[in-house]
Amino acid sequence: MGRFLAVCLAATMCAWGSEPSVTVLDNGLTVILQEMHYAPTVAVVVIYDVGARNETEDISGISHFLEHMMFNGTPTMPGSRFWQLVQRNGGQTNGGTNSDMTSYFLYMPAGSLGEALAIESDRMANLLLDPDDVAQEIGVVMDEWRLTNDNPNSVLFSAADSVYFAGTPYSRQTAGTSEAIAAFDSAKVSDYYRTWYTPGNAVLAVVGDFESAEALAEIERLFGPIPAGNTPEIEFEEAPPLSGRSEVTVEFPAEADRMLIYFDGCDRMDPDYPALVALANYLSNGRNSWFQENLVATGLATEAWAFSPSNSGEGPFGMMIQPAPGIPVDSLERLVCGEILRLTREPIDAVRLDVITGYYTGRQVMSENNPLSVAMQLAYSMTETGDPLWLRLVRDRIAALTPGEVQEAAARHFSTDRMVVAVLRAQSGGSGRETPVGGTTDVEVPQVTDWEGLDLDPAGLVVPERSVSEGTVRYELDNGLTLLVKEDHSFPIVEIMATVPMGDGRTSAGNSGISALVAETMLRGADGMSQSDFHARLMRTGGGIWLQPTREFTLGNSYGPSENAGIYFESLADLLTRPNLSEEDFGQVRDRILEADRLEREDPMTLASSNFEAVILDGGSVREPDSATISGVDFAAMKDWYRLCVRPEGTVIAVVGDIAPETAMALVEESFAEWCNPDEPLPPSQDLVFRQDHGETRVEVVEGRMEAAVYFGCEAPAYGSPDYQAFRMMTSILGGGISSRMGMNLRETQGLTYAVGASVNSAINSSPSIFQTYFMTGAPFASRALEAAQQECTLIASGGVQEEELALRQYMNIGSHALGYDTYGELARYLATTEALGLPLDRDIVNLRAIVALDVDDIREAAARFFTGDWFVSAAGSIGEDLQPLE
């Protein structure tokens, strides 16, 4: 363990190049700079030391509300200009709020660092907070509030927090209250902004491909003149120690009961914190965890996880458990508390602790492989503790833990005489809650966008010369397996991504879900090793493995620190060529998947999505599994499907990272050369066949929900079609993020929805694609939101798009090229899936050239060809067939 940790630390420093530098400007702004020259990208993160704990009851939720308003403009970035600037650079952006802090990030191509810094300095000092914008954003935030309070887990956490934190600041929920949100106005939000959004209350972290001296000079120029402000010093009241056993029961519309247990925790600077992290990992991290082996694998629970304290102040050690059907909650409480008390009396097994600390150490190293992740860690650690490398310090302390130290910490914090037990009892029917109103009354939305001053010179649309696949080495094994290797030594990591020709697109509709059954049963152990032993072998090195079936193939990924590459190749080979596939494991897997299918009814969005295929596709093309198709697959059929489809012919393995091609090839030959193909041919993939009706609407009633989810769409061009790139760009303009037409008009202008978007899901070259639009909204607004969304489709088919809209999306695609493949994992996935689909490895550049060549006529014609007005609609929530709310 010691050698592994030393190797990881040394390799991390090699990747970073040096320690991060910390500078405090005269106005109090803390600046962290870290150069990372792996890719031409840069991350800018700003964290303000303010969150829900700073609020009072009358402004509950205002920290989160202000986070939304930070994207709504300044005098130099009015209206949608913020989004236009980010989009023109191909950047990514978002924000987040919790009890302690509010964070923002911009992730841009390295050449856009100056613009990213200008954006953040501008909105730190000059946010508009126009009264009309504030009033409009209330609808968006209210919709997010409904989403939170429609979720059974969120409701249970809120109930447990109210007991554990006992009215102290940490008892306040980040989402706030509907009454407070409805009463927000420009004066309240402006006062909160001026009080807390000051340089002295902020940390700025910049990580990526830049020179520190130049970056610091630009930061001082842009941020230095901002007044320091006068942020108040607050001593937050801590949660009192637990005394006795406290119980709270909530009745809520859900498909299953669940239980949340809190024990006394600590703050993150407490010496016991590393041990509590280790204990949470022991209970629930990975397939060899105690919960997995004793609750999930035995059929007693469908879900179970533990978590360590997560607040700056004292927070609980918690456990969430969802019993399997027919299992009483109190029986699981006795079982779990028995293990918890054992941990207070006996040292944790030394071998198990070695697995836990090895995995945690390795995962921390793996998390430091791109600028955005590192910038978030540095800024968060600085805000939380005053030390930008605090997370690394926690990693070191966890790695050094002894079994005795873990036992001593457990004894200090775990007692059945000091605990909170919160139980949610699943109820059918309505919840009795009223739906808070938000949003405007207008469906007709004027299509007005201000482009003045935005540089969209066509001469700037320069496609990169090099594909991300450049330098990839290809090998072919005699058995048909293809190996692709791209060597890079920036990080001490290796990612091995495989595509295996097992997907439900190769079977009949009646067998939908069979690939998921095979994949999950394979993960239960291989080469005679139990599930626990198989995964422990990977975890103790900081690595892991997973399988994910798609319609076309099954993705597999084995990964970890590169010094253990041989273990990751061996584990992938064991999984693919020698899985245990026991009948007992298969039965448990099928039961768990059936329960997951039943629980989908708790989430209108998941339910609407799952039903969409059955609405739009001919019955023979539907591959969305349900309880009937899953139940219809028996053990013999599962084994036969594995034997038929998990074969070397058609399998692609893409390796990216700190490994030489010849080394990777030698390891593949050693592990896979003897793998043989079955005598039968591989079943062919079947093209999608769409229904020929003139549209259809299907509504799944979910009683007791404030929110409704809607999917609608139509047939779209195949990936290999001449129309595909034009249609994809049209879809991006229509529903690609907040800056899209639907994002701006349904969300930002009308306040009808928090989540809205559109996508085109392409399969293989010859098969048509599926166009789909989706949104969540309050049940009273479902019909109006659908009308507004379909109107946007009609407008783009009849009137096309503006030249500026197209140019902005073309710029976005070029700028985002570097960001899209900035980790070894993303690059390995691209290589494996591209090869598996029979596409050229340089399709990233081929597609960009096709996109840049498009004009507005191409976009309008593609939309008009497919948007005929025959829409297929799948909806779910407390709504009827007419999409009106239930009585």
Side-chain angles (χ1 to χ4, degrees), residues 99-131:
S99 295
D100 298 302
M101 60 190 75
T102 309
S103 61
Y104 304 89
F105 75 79
L106 286 164
Y107 192 29
M108 301 278 229
S112 304
L113 174 58
E115 193 155 22
L117 293 171
I119 288 171
E120 289 298 354
S121 64
D122 190 19
R123 60 180 182 168
M124 179 180 283
N126 304 311
L127 203 61
L128 277 176
L129 298 172
D130 178 81

mmCIF file of all heavy atoms in Angstrom, residues 99-131:
data_model
loop_
_atom_site.group_PDB
_atom_site.id
_atom_site.type_symbol
_atom_site.label_atom_id
_atom_site.label_comp_id
_atom_site.label_asym_id
_atom_site.label_seq_id
_atom_site.Cartn_x
_atom_site.Cartn_y
_atom_site.Cartn_z
ATOM 1 N N SER A 99 -25.353 23.756 0.998
ATOM 2 C CA SER A 99 -25.528 24.470 2.266
ATOM 3 C C SER A 99 -24.419 25.473 2.532
ATOM 4 O O SER A 99 -24.646 26.513 3.159
ATOM 5 C CB SER A 99 -25.593 23.465 3.423
ATOM 6 O OG SER A 99 -26.732 22.655 3.322
ATOM 7 N N ASP A 100 -23.197 25.168 2.065
ATOM 8 C CA ASP A 100 -22.022 25.951 2.432
ATOM 9 C C ASP A 100 -21.573 26.967 1.395
ATOM 10 O O ASP A 100 -21.021 28.003 1.734
ATOM 11 C CB ASP A 100 -20.839 25.013 2.703
ATOM 12 C CG ASP A 100 -21.101 24.076 3.851
ATOM 13 O OD1 ASP A 100 -21.373 24.570 4.952
ATOM 14 O OD2 ASP A 100 -21.047 22.849 3.649
ATOM 15 N N MET A 101 -21.742 26.650 0.116
ATOM 16 C CA MET A 101 -21.108 27.479 -0.915
ATOM 17 C C MET A 101 -21.878 27.428 -2.221
ATOM 18 O O MET A 101 -22.731 26.561 -2.434
ATOM 19 C CB MET A 101 -19.663 27.024 -1.133
ATOM 20 C CG MET A 101 -19.520 25.587 -1.584
ATOM 21 S SD MET A 101 -17.787 24.993 -1.567
ATOM 22 C CE MET A 101 -17.495 24.750 0.183
ATOM 23 N N THR A 102 -21.551 28.379 -3.103
ATOM 24 C CA THR A 102 -22.136 28.441 -4.442
ATOM 25 C C THR A 102 -20.990 28.504 -5.432
ATOM 26 O O THR A 102 -20.094 29.340 -5.300
ATOM 27 C CB THR A 102 -23.041 29.667 -4.598
ATOM 28 O OG1 THR A 102 -23.979 29.707 -3.516
ATOM 29 C CG2 THR A 102 -23.799 29.612 -5.914
ATOM 30 N N SER A 103 -21.011 27.619 -6.421
ATOM 31 C CA SER A 103 -19.880 27.500 -7.339
ATOM 32 C C SER A 103 -20.317 27.733 -8.778
ATOM 33 O O SER A 103 -21.467 27.482 -9.156
ATOM 34 C CB SER A 103 -19.235 26.119 -7.222
ATOM 35 O OG SER A 103 -20.173 25.109 -7.553
ATOM 36 N N TYR A 104 -19.364 28.202 -9.584
ATOM 37 C CA TYR A 104 -19.571 28.436 -11.012
ATOM 38 C C TYR A 104 -18.328 27.982 -11.763
ATOM 39 O O TYR A 104 -17.212 28.103 -11.245
ATOM 40 C CB TYR A 104 -19.811 29.928 -11.302
ATOM 41 C CG TYR A 104 -20.958 30.513 -10.521
ATOM 42 C CD1 TYR A 104 -20.736 31.057 -9.251
ATOM 43 C CD2 TYR A 104 -22.253 30.490 -11.022
ATOM 44 C CE1 TYR A 104 -21.791 31.577 -8.512
ATOM 45 C CE2 TYR A 104 -23.304 31.009 -10.300
ATOM 46 C CZ TYR A 104 -23.078 31.557 -9.043
ATOM 47 O OH TYR A 104 -24.111 32.052 -8.305
ATOM 48 N N PHE A 105 -18.527 27.477 -12.976
ATOM 49 C CA PHE A 105 -17.356 27.150 -13.780
ATOM 50 C C PHE A 105 -17.579 27.521 -15.226
ATOM 51 O O PHE A 105 -18.699 27.538 -15.733
ATOM 52 C CB PHE A 105 -16.984 25.663 -13.652
ATOM 53 C CG PHE A 105 -17.892 24.706 -14.397
ATOM 54 C CD1 PHE A 105 -17.762 24.511 -15.771
ATOM 55 C CD2 PHE A 105 -18.853 23.985 -13.716
ATOM 56 C CE1 PHE A 105 -18.591 23.627 -16.446
ATOM 57 C CE2 PHE A 105 -19.686 23.102 -14.390
ATOM 58 C CZ PHE A 105 -19.553 22.921 -15.765
ATOM 59 N N LEU A 106 -16.481 27.854 -15.864
ATOM 60 C CA LEU A 106 -16.391 28.007 -17.312
ATOM 61 C C LEU A 106 -15.268 27.102 -17.783
ATOM 62 O O LEU A 106 -14.147 27.177 -17.259
ATOM 63 C CB LEU A 106 -16.090 29.454 -17.702
ATOM 64 C CG LEU A 106 -17.232 30.456 -17.568
ATOM 65 C CD1 LEU A 106 -16.691 31.879 -17.601
ATOM 66 C CD2 LEU A 106 -18.251 30.259 -18.685
ATOM 67 N N TYR A 107 -15.564 26.241 -18.738
ATOM 68 C CA TYR A 107 -14.543 25.348 -19.286
ATOM 69 C C TYR A 107 -14.434 25.680 -20.757
ATOM 70 O O TYR A 107 -15.397 25.509 -21.512
ATOM 71 C CB TYR A 107 -14.965 23.898 -19.065
ATOM 72 C CG TYR A 107 -13.874 22.876 -19.324
ATOM 73 C CD1 TYR A 107 -12.532 23.182 -19.135
ATOM 74 C CD2 TYR A 107 -14.199 21.590 -19.736
ATOM 75 C CE1 TYR A 107 -11.545 22.245 -19.355
ATOM 76 C CE2 TYR A 107 -13.221 20.636 -19.954
ATOM 77 C CZ TYR A 107 -11.889 20.970 -19.770
ATOM 78 O OH TYR A 107 -10.906 20.040 -19.995
ATOM 79 N N MET A 108 -13.251 26.175 -21.171
ATOM 80 C CA MET A 108 -13.096 26.770 -22.488
ATOM 81 C C MET A 108 -11.836 26.245 -23.185
ATOM 82 O O MET A 108 -10.920 25.742 -22.535
ATOM 83 C CB MET A 108 -12.957 28.291 -22.346
ATOM 84 C CG MET A 108 -14.120 28.981 -21.661
ATOM 85 S SD MET A 108 -15.481 29.282 -22.777
ATOM 86 C CE MET A 108 -15.804 31.016 -22.421
ATOM 87 N N PRO A 109 -11.757 26.428 -24.498
ATOM 88 C CA PRO A 109 -10.468 26.260 -25.167
ATOM 89 C C PRO A 109 -9.448 27.225 -24.568
ATOM 90 O O PRO A 109 -9.793 28.330 -24.128
ATOM 91 C CB PRO A 109 -10.787 26.610 -26.627
ATOM 92 C CG PRO A 109 -12.241 26.359 -26.784
ATOM 93 C CD PRO A 109 -12.842 26.726 -25.461
ATOM 94 N N ALA A 110 -8.206 26.820 -24.522
ATOM 95 C CA ALA A 110 -7.178 27.610 -23.830
ATOM 96 C C ALA A 110 -7.079 29.035 -24.356
ATOM 97 O O ALA A 110 -6.814 29.969 -23.596
ATOM 98 C CB ALA A 110 -5.829 26.905 -23.936
ATOM 99 N N GLY A 111 -7.304 29.223 -25.640
ATOM 100 C CA GLY A 111 -7.217 30.555 -26.218
ATOM 101 C C GLY A 111 -8.302 31.504 -25.755
ATOM 102 O O GLY A 111 -8.228 32.712 -26.018
ATOM 103 N N SER A 112 -9.299 30.996 -25.067
ATOM 104 C CA SER A 112 -10.417 31.823 -24.603
ATOM 105 C C SER A 112 -10.304 32.171 -23.120
ATOM 106 O O SER A 112 -11.273 32.651 -22.528
ATOM 107 C CB SER A 112 -11.743 31.098 -24.852
ATOM 108 O OG SER A 112 -11.888 30.746 -26.204
ATOM 109 N N LEU A 113 -9.139 31.954 -22.506
ATOM 110 C CA LEU A 113 -8.992 32.235 -21.085
ATOM 111 C C LEU A 113 -9.319 33.688 -20.763
ATOM 112 O O LEU A 113 -10.023 33.969 -19.789
ATOM 113 C CB LEU A 113 -7.572 31.902 -20.623
ATOM 114 C CG LEU A 113 -7.228 32.291 -19.173
ATOM 115 C CD1 LEU A 113 -8.180 31.635 -18.191
ATOM 116 C CD2 LEU A 113 -5.785 31.927 -18.848
ATOM 117 N N GLY A 114 -8.820 34.627 -21.550
ATOM 118 C CA GLY A 114 -9.082 36.039 -21.288
ATOM 119 C C GLY A 114 -10.562 36.356 -21.271
ATOM 120 O O GLY A 114 -11.046 37.097 -20.403
ATOM 121 N N GLU A 115 -11.307 35.789 -22.197
ATOM 122 C CA GLU A 115 -12.747 36.023 -22.243
ATOM 123 C C GLU A 115 -13.447 35.384 -21.051
ATOM 124 O O GLU A 115 -14.380 35.963 -20.483
ATOM 125 C CB GLU A 115 -13.324 35.488 -23.547
ATOM 126 C CG GLU A 115 -14.734 35.968 -23.815
ATOM 127 C CD GLU A 115 -15.078 35.961 -25.287
ATOM 128 O OE1 GLU A 115 -14.431 35.235 -26.064
ATOM 129 O OE2 GLU A 115 -16.011 36.685 -25.660
ATOM 130 N N ALA A 116 -13.009 34.206 -20.649
ATOM 131 C CA ALA A 116 -13.610 33.550 -19.491
ATOM 132 C C ALA A 116 -13.391 34.382 -18.225
ATOM 133 O O ALA A 116 -14.315 34.553 -17.410
ATOM 134 C CB ALA A 116 -13.022 32.155 -19.316
ATOM 135 N N LEU A 117 -12.186 34.904 -18.045
ATOM 136 C CA LEU A 117 -11.913 35.741 -16.877
ATOM 137 C C LEU A 117 -12.728 37.022 -16.917
ATOM 138 O O LEU A 117 -13.223 37.499 -15.883
ATOM 139 C CB LEU A 117 -10.424 36.062 -16.805
ATOM 140 C CG LEU A 117 -9.495 34.874 -16.520
ATOM 141 C CD1 LEU A 117 -8.040 35.280 -16.693
ATOM 142 C CD2 LEU A 117 -9.738 34.317 -15.118
ATOM 143 N N ALA A 118 -12.890 37.601 -18.109
ATOM 144 C CA ALA A 118 -13.686 38.825 -18.238
ATOM 145 C C ALA A 118 -15.145 38.566 -17.868
ATOM 146 O O ALA A 118 -15.800 39.396 -17.221
ATOM 147 C CB ALA A 118 -13.580 39.360 -19.669
ATOM 148 N N ILE A 119 -15.669 37.425 -18.279
ATOM 149 C CA ILE A 119 -17.051 37.071 -17.937
ATOM 150 C C ILE A 119 -17.215 36.971 -16.423
ATOM 151 O O ILE A 119 -18.162 37.526 -15.843
ATOM 152 C CB ILE A 119 -17.439 35.739 -18.613
ATOM 153 C CG1 ILE A 119 -17.606 35.933 -20.120
ATOM 154 C CG2 ILE A 119 -18.720 35.177 -18.006
ATOM 155 C CD1 ILE A 119 -17.781 34.639 -20.895
ATOM 156 N N GLU A 120 -16.306 36.261 -15.750
ATOM 157 C CA GLU A 120 -16.454 36.055 -14.309
ATOM 158 C C GLU A 120 -16.255 37.357 -13.526
ATOM 159 O O GLU A 120 -16.947 37.602 -12.531
ATOM 160 C CB GLU A 120 -15.490 34.982 -13.810
ATOM 161 C CG GLU A 120 -15.836 33.568 -14.237
ATOM 162 C CD GLU A 120 -17.180 33.086 -13.721
ATOM 163 O OE1 GLU A 120 -17.824 33.801 -12.918
ATOM 164 O OE2 GLU A 120 -17.600 31.992 -14.120
ATOM 165 N N SER A 121 -15.319 38.196 -13.943
ATOM 166 C CA SER A 121 -15.129 39.464 -13.226
ATOM 167 C C SER A 121 -16.334 40.375 -13.423
ATOM 168 O O SER A 121 -16.753 41.077 -12.496
ATOM 169 C CB SER A 121 -13.854 40.163 -13.707
ATOM 170 O OG SER A 121 -13.948 40.537 -15.070
ATOM 171 N N ASP A 122 -16.917 40.340 -14.616
ATOM 172 C CA ASP A 122 -18.079 41.183 -14.907
ATOM 173 C C ASP A 122 -19.260 40.795 -14.038
ATOM 174 O O ASP A 122 -19.910 41.641 -13.409
ATOM 175 C CB ASP A 122 -18.425 41.055 -16.394
ATOM 176 C CG ASP A 122 -19.453 42.082 -16.845
ATOM 177 O OD1 ASP A 122 -19.630 43.105 -16.150
ATOM 178 O OD2 ASP A 122 -20.083 41.857 -17.905
ATOM 179 N N ARG A 123 -19.547 39.493 -13.953
ATOM 180 C CA ARG A 123 -20.733 39.130 -13.175
ATOM 181 C C ARG A 123 -20.468 39.093 -11.674
ATOM 182 O O ARG A 123 -21.404 39.028 -10.896
ATOM 183 C CB ARG A 123 -21.341 37.822 -13.671
ATOM 184 C CG ARG A 123 -20.501 36.578 -13.629
ATOM 185 C CD ARG A 123 -21.309 35.399 -14.183
ATOM 186 N NE ARG A 123 -20.569 34.137 -14.138
ATOM 187 C CZ ARG A 123 -21.136 32.951 -14.350
ATOM 188 N NH1 ARG A 123 -22.417 32.873 -14.615
ATOM 189 N NH2 ARG A 123 -20.410 31.848 -14.303
ATOM 190 N N MET A 124 -19.196 39.145 -11.257
ATOM 191 C CA MET A 124 -18.915 39.316 -9.837
ATOM 192 C C MET A 124 -19.296 40.716 -9.371
ATOM 193 O O MET A 124 -19.711 40.906 -8.210
ATOM 194 C CB MET A 124 -17.430 39.078 -9.550
ATOM 195 C CG MET A 124 -17.043 39.268 -8.080
ATOM 196 S SD MET A 124 -15.282 38.998 -7.751
ATOM 197 C CE MET A 124 -15.187 37.210 -7.778
ATOM 198 N N ALA A 125 -19.222 41.700 -10.269
ATOM 199 C CA ALA A 125 -19.400 43.090 -9.849
ATOM 200 C C ALA A 125 -20.639 43.769 -10.415
ATOM 201 O O ALA A 125 -21.128 44.735 -9.828
ATOM 202 C CB ALA A 125 -18.158 43.900 -10.238
ATOM 203 N N ASN A 126 -21.156 43.294 -11.547
ATOM 204 C CA ASN A 126 -22.112 44.107 -12.297
ATOM 205 C C ASN A 126 -23.410 43.386 -12.667
ATOM 206 O O ASN A 126 -24.032 43.708 -13.677
ATOM 207 C CB ASN A 126 -21.445 44.598 -13.595
ATOM 208 C CG ASN A 126 -20.171 45.360 -13.345
ATOM 209 O OD1 ASN A 126 -20.136 46.265 -12.520
ATOM 210 N ND2 ASN A 126 -19.101 44.973 -14.035
ATOM 211 N N LEU A 127 -23.835 42.426 -11.874
ATOM 212 C CA LEU A 127 -25.034 41.686 -12.219
ATOM 213 C C LEU A 127 -26.237 42.631 -12.289
ATOM 214 O O LEU A 127 -26.430 43.483 -11.423
ATOM 215 C CB LEU A 127 -25.281 40.600 -11.165
ATOM 216 C CG LEU A 127 -26.118 39.402 -11.583
ATOM 217 C CD1 LEU A 127 -25.462 38.650 -12.735
ATOM 218 C CD2 LEU A 127 -26.312 38.458 -10.394
ATOM 219 N N LEU A 128 -27.070 42.463 -13.327
ATOM 220 C CA LEU A 128 -28.187 43.386 -13.552
ATOM 221 C C LEU A 128 -29.312 43.195 -12.542
ATOM 222 O O LEU A 128 -29.796 44.151 -11.950
ATOM 223 C CB LEU A 128 -28.743 43.197 -14.972
ATOM 224 C CG LEU A 128 -28.008 43.923 -16.091
ATOM 225 C CD1 LEU A 128 -28.608 43.555 -17.443
ATOM 226 C CD2 LEU A 128 -28.082 45.436 -15.887
ATOM 227 N N LEU A 129 -29.809 41.965 -12.415
ATOM 228 C CA LEU A 129 -30.923 41.654 -11.521
ATOM 229 C C LEU A 129 -32.139 42.526 -11.823
ATOM 230 O O LEU A 129 -32.764 43.123 -10.937
ATOM 231 C CB LEU A 129 -30.501 41.795 -10.054
ATOM 232 C CG LEU A 129 -29.383 40.840 -9.621
ATOM 233 C CD1 LEU A 129 -28.882 41.168 -8.222
ATOM 234 C CD2 LEU A 129 -29.860 39.397 -9.680
ATOM 235 N N ASP A 130 -32.458 42.600 -13.109
ATOM 236 C CA ASP A 130 -33.617 43.358 -13.573
ATOM 237 C C ASP A 130 -34.896 42.781 -12.951
ATOM 238 O O ASP A 130 -35.056 41.560 -12.872
ATOM 239 C CB ASP A 130 -33.686 43.268 -15.102
ATOM 240 C CG ASP A 130 -34.891 43.975 -15.674
ATOM 241 O OD1 ASP A 130 -34.823 45.203 -15.822
ATOM 242 O OD2 ASP A 130 -35.898 43.295 -15.953
ATOM 243 N N PRO A 131 -35.821 43.633 -12.487
ATOM 244 C CA PRO A 131 -37.046 43.127 -11.852
ATOM 245 C C PRO A 131 -37.835 42.156 -12.732
ATOM 246 O O PRO A 131 -38.377 41.162 -12.225
ATOM 247 C CB PRO A 131 -37.848 44.399 -11.575
ATOM 248 C CG PRO A 131 -36.811 45.470 -11.429
ATOM 249 C CD PRO A 131 -35.729 45.102 -12.399
#
